[in-house]
Amino acid sequence: MTTLDATAEDVHAHSHATTTAAPAADPAMIGLPSFIVGSVALGLVLVGYVPASAVGASLAVIIAATGVGLLIAAGWAAAVAQSAVAGVFGAFAGFWLSYALLVLGLTHNWFAIDAAAAVDTQAVFLISWLVIVGMLTLATLRLPVTYTLLFALIEVALVLVLIGTVQASASVLQIAGIVVLAFAAVGVYLFFSSASVATGGAALPLGPPLIG
């Protein structure tokens, strides 16, 4: 009996240790792939993989995968009290869904905006999100530097898209597309870090914060 009791206690202790060592829930496992796929789709459009007339080529991915996926990730993050993560995913869900609505609205004349005002309308969208992404970039300065790099690249891409749109420059938009693919690559690295932790491994090196 003593041996059986000891064995039962060992099994219970092992089970308890396994349970306590389980990785914490991580909404990034949904949020990052959702963000990455929309970024890749938009980057390909900007670099000219499709004709300039096919401006809506990325919208199916952006609406159904990126927008919806980020909303799910934001809800999950809020449910597990990860306020900062919920805020970031929620903000980017707004960015991607509003981008899709802008493109659909302009191409289908939903907003009664004539062709002469279309460029300025796009500039309003881009400037508004430049402010928000700049704010988020500054808010990441106390996080590992990889996060700051991600947001800084998004900010650079928005600046380039704004310049390319206002100047009607295909070459600047192509450079913007390259930057978009670059921040998608940073997102892939962050996903691998989260996936490593979620599967019982260690996080990848993310660098020290710029502000301690």
Side-chain angles (χ1 to χ4, degrees):
M1 288 295 293
T2 303
T3 302
L4 290 176
D5 290 342
T7 302
E9 289 177 2
D10 290 342
V11 170
H12 176 74
H14 176 73
S15 175
H16 178 71
T18 302
T19 301
T20 56
D26 187 1
M29 293 301 295
I30 290 178
L32 285 172
S34 301
F35 176 83
I36 292 163
V37 69
S39 301
V40 171
L42 178 60
L44 290 174
V45 170
L46 289 172
V47 298
Y49 183 78
V50 295
S53 58
V55 65
S58 61
L59 294 189
V61 171
I62 286 172
I63 295 171
T66 304
V68 173
L70 287 172
L71 286 175
I72 293 171
W76 181 7
V80 296
Q82 295 184 12
S83 300
V85 177
V88 170
F89 285 149
F92 277 106
F95 168 78
W96 290 107
L97 291 174
S98 62
Y99 168 76
L101 184 59
L102 175 71
V103 173
L104 289 171
L106 290 178
T107 55
H108 292 81
N109 197 30
W110 289 350
F111 308 133
I113 296 171
D114 59 33
V119 170
D120 289 339
T121 300
Q122 294 172 72
V124 167
F125 171 87
L126 292 165
I127 293 169
S128 299
W129 280 107
L130 271 168
V131 172
I132 297 302
V133 175
M135 176 185 73
L136 293 174
T137 303
L138 293 175
T140 66
L141 295 179
R142 295 182 63 186
L143 297 177
V145 70
T146 305
Y147 292 100
T148 305
L149 174 63
L150 174 67
F151 286 98
L153 286 173
I154 296 170
E155 186 82 344
V156 170
L158 286 172
V159 170
L160 290 170
V161 172
L162 176 61
I163 295 171
T165 300
V166 171
Q167 297 183 352
S169 172
S171 60
V172 174
L173 290 175
Q174 286 178 336
I175 296 171
I178 293 170
V179 177
V180 171
L181 294 175
F183 70 64
V186 176
V188 170
Y189 184 82
L190 289 171
F191 174 76
F192 283 153
S193 181
S194 293
S196 178
V197 174
T199 54
L204 300 181
L206 300 179
L210 295 177
I211 295 179

